[in-house]
Amino acid sequence: MEVTGDRPIGAESIGVAVSGDNARIVVLPAEAVHWAHTVQAPQGGGFLPASASGVFVGRERELTGLREMLTGEGSAAVVQPAQVRARAIHGLGGVGKSALALHYADRYRNDYTLVWWVTAESPAAIMNGLAGITAQLCPEWAQVAGPDERAAWAITWLQAHPGWLLIFDNVENPADLRPYLGTLNTGHHLATSRKATGWHKLAPTMPLGLLPLDQATDLLCAITFQDSTPTDEQREAARRLAAALGCLPLALEQAGAYAYRTGTDLDTYRRSLGRVLDEDDDVDAPERTIARIWDHTLAAISTRKPLAVTLLQTMAWLAADDIPRTLLAPLAPDSIALSNALGELHAYNMIAFTDDRQGISVHRLVQTVLRNRIPVEPPTDTQPHATGRAEAERAVREALPAPAKDAQSEPTALWDRLLPHVLALAESTPPQHPATVEAADTYYQTAQYLHRQGLDAHTITLRIATLIQCEQVLGNTHPHALLHRQNLATAYQATGDLDKAIPLLETTLAQCKRLLGDRHPHTLINSGNLASAYRMAGDLGRAIPLFEITLTHCKQVFGEAHPHTLTICNNLASACQATGDLDRAIPLLETTLTQRERTVGDNHPDTLISRNNLAGAYYTAGDLGKAIRLLETTLPQCEKVLGETHTHTLINRNNLAGLYQATGDLDRAICLLETTLTRCEEVLGDTHPNTLISRENLADARQALEAVQHGSTATSMTNAESQEPSTAG
């Protein structure tokens, strides 16, 4: 007898309606209906798919909140008496939804008349799961009954007996639960799902997030070091791996089990993530590896919105956080298609939106899996890299701002949002495949912007990728390769890594002289940068002669007042000052400053560098008044023209603080030094020479203040050197 509708109904005397693909009434024998009303479940009876006695870390708050929500107790619940007591836990695949449901069921099992676990990926699976109740509570009749009769009997039993808990695990379509939530209202329903949407008319939801890093580390250590207590070094390695795994519980369990079984060092596992995330020897079923769980999700998404998968594969190569919608827009035919595709990914918890909904975040481990599960074939003209890679490169390239006319017109807000994605794209270049010509140009333009901002230390990855591409396409002695090599050396020098910078500059200078001649502009730039590197290394015996010969050649090639000539003159003066030869240094610096003011203007970055260096020379000569007046004028100009975090601004602020300290004005000195140290750590890193100088000066100033010493305290003044990476066509 066929019926329509989406809710099963029960009648004690004749049977109940079963809702499936085709809703139909199943007539039960009178005795079966009687048993459904009279059979009691044994104490603690039911079915759970696994033991809950294993390692379970960091979800106590969630367990407590879930209990309060379902029972209507505590501040977490706002449940009216007539409401169905149902909750849906949703989150990214592998975040621990099923584990949380399992531990909830185990912990509160004795509070329910029956606890029953139902695999809920489809309506048929739900019916089969419910039919299992009949097999357990009424086994003799179940042996002769068909699947529909067993499911109908279970629904009748649930209607007749209060106080049970049904767990619907891995719900693919929330609407599949509507018949049961509408009919069965004398117990608790708990659902887990990858889907974040579709629940608003059915049940309140509980989003399950990632573990905090400390708890993720605890979980990883508990599984990895089951027979011993980890050392401090091992725990730090576990912390690094937990962070790399994005604190995703299933990935942590998989990693810990693998490390325990194989004895693999956790740092080794971290460096091999792409190859081990699909390892299935340590999971209860091959489909339970983190990689294959997401494969299943992507397959489900692909059947509905293929564009969504393309977007996710594109985002795999970018930074994980705050990917602008505008960056992805060129990949979609229109804004509606883009929104629908992103909505599908969001529904499956594969992405998250920023608060303003204009940015997208992807779990870092999702990115790792996608990069390593997509086969990387040899690049071709039509498919230069793995799926999504070409789209990512094109999206970033089209988003690049046009070159600015000057520092004041730089679109810094746009660059700030774009930079993480350019850097991530460069860092994720597949092995054995150089960047495309277009990608290398993107990296070069980005590195040049960072250079203009005084952030050469952040360009190393970009410079390396650009150089590799140029060498493979044009050869390692092509003029462009020489220029990119100089630029990379400059980046190393900016980080204070002179062990890498100096050999690179020496090799490049020899090649420039051989191929271009000793008076070619690129040769002179490289020569000046090598001399500066020698000076930074304290090798003034090699720095000063090289500066002198370079200066002579610059005057011959460019003229006395050319920016390149003035750069070498400034840097030679700084080297002379370092030797104590102020009689030579101060006139050189004064002449350079005058010429720069006349040729490039009062607020040009090179002019500001000259003022800083001249102030340092005055300080060394003992003329503190002149030095302070010069830097008090220069620092506000640096902040306005170059920005608060530009390397030259940091140097000026440090030097002015040193002058205040030398005159006994410790309060102003400490204030400036605290700001300088914070900015140095952010921009240059903890171990950069300028950061170390700032940290030492701040410690000296604080010590002087504590001792109430108002005399001169030893401080370090830093000279700024002009170094311009060569421009490659």
Side-chain angles (χ1 to χ4, degrees):
M1 181 166 56
E2 299 295 324
V3 299
T4 60
D6 61 0
R7 291 187 177 183
I9 58 175
E12 181 176 345
S13 61
I14 59 172
V16 300
V18 178
S19 180
D21 291 338
N22 294 301
R24 58 191 179 278
I25 290 179
V26 178
V27 179
L28 297 177
E31 64 272 21
V33 175
H34 174 72
W35 293 330
H37 283 77
T38 58
V39 169
Q40 300 295 318
Q43 178 69 27
F47 164 68
L48 294 177
S51 169
S53 61
V55 177
F56 186 69
V57 173
R59 295 299 195 191
E60 283 301 319
R61 181 175 59 84
E62 288 83 354
L63 280 172
T64 301
L66 190 58
R67 182 63 176 171
E68 292 176 349
M69 290 175 182
L70 284 171
T71 61
E73 301 171 353
S75 59
V78 183
V79 181
Q80 298 175 6
Q83 285 184 309
V84 176
R85 297 291 171 80
R87 283 297 182 273
I89 306 170
H90 69 84
L92 178 66
V95 81
K97 304 179 293 296
S98 298
L100 180 63
L102 177 64
H103 280 80
Y104 174 85
D106 180 72
R107 176 171 295 186
Y108 298 104
R109 190 167 193 158
N110 290 332
D111 294 336
Y112 291 102
T113 56
L114 179 77
V115 172
W116 200 263
W117 188 281
V118 177
T119 299
E121 294 177 348
S122 67
I126 295 173
M127 295 301 295
N128 288 336
L130 292 174
I133 296 176
T134 306
Q136 184 174 109
L137 299 184
C138 195
E140 292 185 3
W141 180 77
Q143 289 179 1
V144 299
D148 290 345
E149 287 80 8
R150 290 197 297 272
W153 191 93
I155 291 172
T156 304
W157 188 92
L158 292 167
Q159 289 174 323
H161 298 269
W164 39 259
L165 170 66
L166 289 180
I167 301 168
F168 298 95
D169 185 46
N170 199 23
V171 176
E172 180 64 27
N173 182 4
D176 292 342
L177 298 188
R178 184 178 288 114
Y180 308 105
L181 299 185
T183 300
L184 305 175
N185 59 6
T186 59
H188 291 172
H189 300 268
L190 179 59
T192 73
S193 178
R194 295 167 296 163
K195 296 290 289 291
T197 58
W199 294 100
H200 60 286
K201 292 183 178 180
L202 297 174
T205 60
M206 176 182 176
L208 190 61
L210 303 169
L211 287 173
L213 182 56
D214 285 343
Q215 293 177 1
T217 304
D218 291 341
L219 176 59
L220 186 55
C221 286
I223 299 171
T224 304
F225 306 107
Q226 299 177 31
D227 305 322
S228 61
T229 301
T231 65
D232 290 343
E233 291 79 7
Q234 288 172 326
R235 185 170 177 80
E236 280 305 307
R239 189 178 183 85
R240 289 190 291 271
L241 177 55
L245 294 171
C247 300
L248 194 68
L250 181 59
L252 295 165
E253 293 171 13
Q254 187 177 334
Y258 180 90
Y260 177 74
R261 175 174 63 85
T262 64
T264 300
D265 174 80
L266 294 182
D267 279 329
T268 300
Y269 187 98
R270 176 172 53 84
R271 290 189 289 267
S272 307
L273 277 185
R275 302 202 305 272
V276 295
L277 286 174
D278 210 10
E279 174 68 39
D280 61 15
D281 285 348
D282 303 291
V283 295
D284 51 9
E287 65 272 12
R288 290 292 296 163
T289 67
I290 194 67
R292 273 172 268 185
I293 282 177
W294 289 337
D295 280 348
H296 179 71
T297 301
L298 291 177
I301 294 172
S302 183
T303 60
R304 294 167 53 83
K305 291 284 189 301
L307 176 60
V309 177
T310 298
L311 293 177
L312 190 62
Q313 290 169 335
T314 299
M315 289 186 282
W317 303 97
L318 303 174
D321 299 318
D322 194 20
I323 301 170
R325 278 178 179 258
T326 53
L327 193 62
L328 301 174
L331 306 179
D334 53 57
S335 60
I336 297 300
L338 176 65
S339 293
N340 288 340
L342 292 175
E344 191 72 10
L345 293 172
H346 183 250
Y348 277 90
N349 285 286
M350 295 301 285
I351 64 170
F353 291 123
T354 55
D355 291 341
D356 63 2
R357 315 288 286 184
Q358 298 308 302
I360 301 103
S361 297
V362 186
H363 193 280
R364 286 169 175 79
L365 201 57
V366 171
Q367 293 182 308
T368 300
V369 168
L370 286 172
R371 291 174 192 167
N372 287 277
R373 289 184 73 76
I374 300 169
V376 179
E377 301 295 339
T380 66
D381 291 339
T382 57
Q383 183 62 44
H385 283 311
T387 306
R389 177 78 192 181
E391 289 82 354
E393 291 180 354
R394 177 165 67 90
V396 170
R397 183 170 67 253
E398 293 184 12
L400 285 181
K405 296 179 180 179
D406 51 51
Q408 286 77 13
S409 60
E410 290 274 20
T412 53
L414 176 57
W415 271 115
D416 286 347
R417 198 166 188 197
L418 189 59
L419 277 170
H421 305 294
V422 181
L423 291 169
L425 194 60
E427 291 166 355
S428 64
T429 302
Q432 311 305 319
H433 299 299
T436 62
V437 173
E438 293 79 8
D441 183 64
T442 296
Y443 303 153
Y444 174 75
Q445 291 185 47
T446 305
Q448 293 300 98
Y449 165 76
L450 290 169
H451 164 70
R452 294 192 297 272
Q453 298 299 305
L455 299 172
D456 284 297
H458 295 267
T459 67
I460 289 177
T461 299
L462 301 171
R463 299 292 193 197
I464 289 174
T466 305
L467 176 60
I468 290 173
Q469 189 277 334
C470 185
E471 288 180 336
Q472 294 203 11
V473 174
L474 301 176
N476 63 4
T477 59
H478 189 280
H480 287 176
L482 299 179
L483 301 179
H484 291 312
R485 201 172 293 118
Q486 287 182 40
N487 293 346
L488 176 58
T490 300
Y492 284 135
Q493 191 171 344
T495 67
D497 192 348
L498 299 178
D499 290 338
K500 289 183 179 177
I502 289 176
L504 198 57
L505 286 168
E506 289 174 335
T507 300
T508 307
L509 179 58
Q511 291 175 318
C512 283
K513 286 181 177 179
R514 185 173 66 254
L515 298 170
L516 305 174
D518 61 2
R519 286 172 174 76
H520 191 280
H522 297 160
T523 305
L524 296 177
I525 290 173
N526 192 87
S527 179
N529 288 348
L530 177 57
S532 293
Y534 286 151
R535 181 201 175 280
M536 286 182 65
D539 191 349
L540 299 175
R542 285 202 288 181
I544 290 176
L546 189 54
F547 274 134
E548 289 172 337
I549 190 63
T550 306
L551 179 59
T552 299
H553 290 162
C554 282
K555 288 178 179 179
Q556 294 170 353
V557 174
F558 302 121
E560 294 276 348
H562 191 278
H564 290 332
T565 305
L566 297 178
T567 292
I568 301 302
C569 190
N570 171 83
N571 296 347
L572 172 59
S574 296
C576 291
Q577 181 182 341
T579 67
D581 189 356
L582 296 178
D583 291 338
R584 188 181 184 192
I586 290 176
L588 278 173
L589 290 169
E590 290 174 335
T591 299
T592 303
L593 175 58
T594 300
Q595 290 178 316
R596 280 178 164 170
E597 288 174 337
R598 184 173 63 250
T599 57
V600 297
D602 191 60
N603 288 326
H604 191 277
D606 287 348
T607 305
L608 301 178
I609 288 172
S610 285
R611 287 207 189 96
N612 170 80
N613 292 352
L614 181 56
Y618 287 152
Y619 166 79
T620 303
D623 195 340
L624 301 185
K626 267 189 180 180
I628 289 175
R629 287 192 296 274
L630 200 54
L631 285 188
E632 286 179 334
T633 301
T634 306
L635 180 57
Q637 291 173 314
C638 283
E639 292 172 338
K640 179 180 179 181
V641 174
L642 302 176
E644 288 279 343
T645 60
H646 194 284
T647 303
H648 296 156
T649 305
L650 300 179
I651 290 173
N652 270 269
R653 192 180 290 118
N654 175 79
N655 290 351
L656 181 56
L659 290 170
Y660 286 149
Q661 183 175 346
T663 60
D665 193 347
L666 294 172
D667 289 333
R668 281 207 287 182
I670 289 173
C671 182
L672 283 176
L673 287 169
E674 287 175 339
T675 301
T676 302
L677 179 58
T678 299
R679 297 287 187 265
C680 281
E681 290 172 340
E682 292 173 357
V683 176
L684 302 176
D686 286 341
T687 60
H688 191 278
N690 288 356
T691 305
L692 300 178
I693 290 172
S694 295
R695 189 175 292 120
E696 182 180 353
N697 287 351
L698 178 58
D700 287 342
R702 285 173 172 167
Q703 184 178 7
L705 185 63
E706 290 174 3
V708 198
Q709 294 176 347
H710 299 288
S712 178
T713 304
T715 59
S716 299
M717 300 286 285
T718 305
N719 275 11
E721 299 199 2
S722 303
Q723 290 179 291
E724 303 176 54
S726 306
T727 302

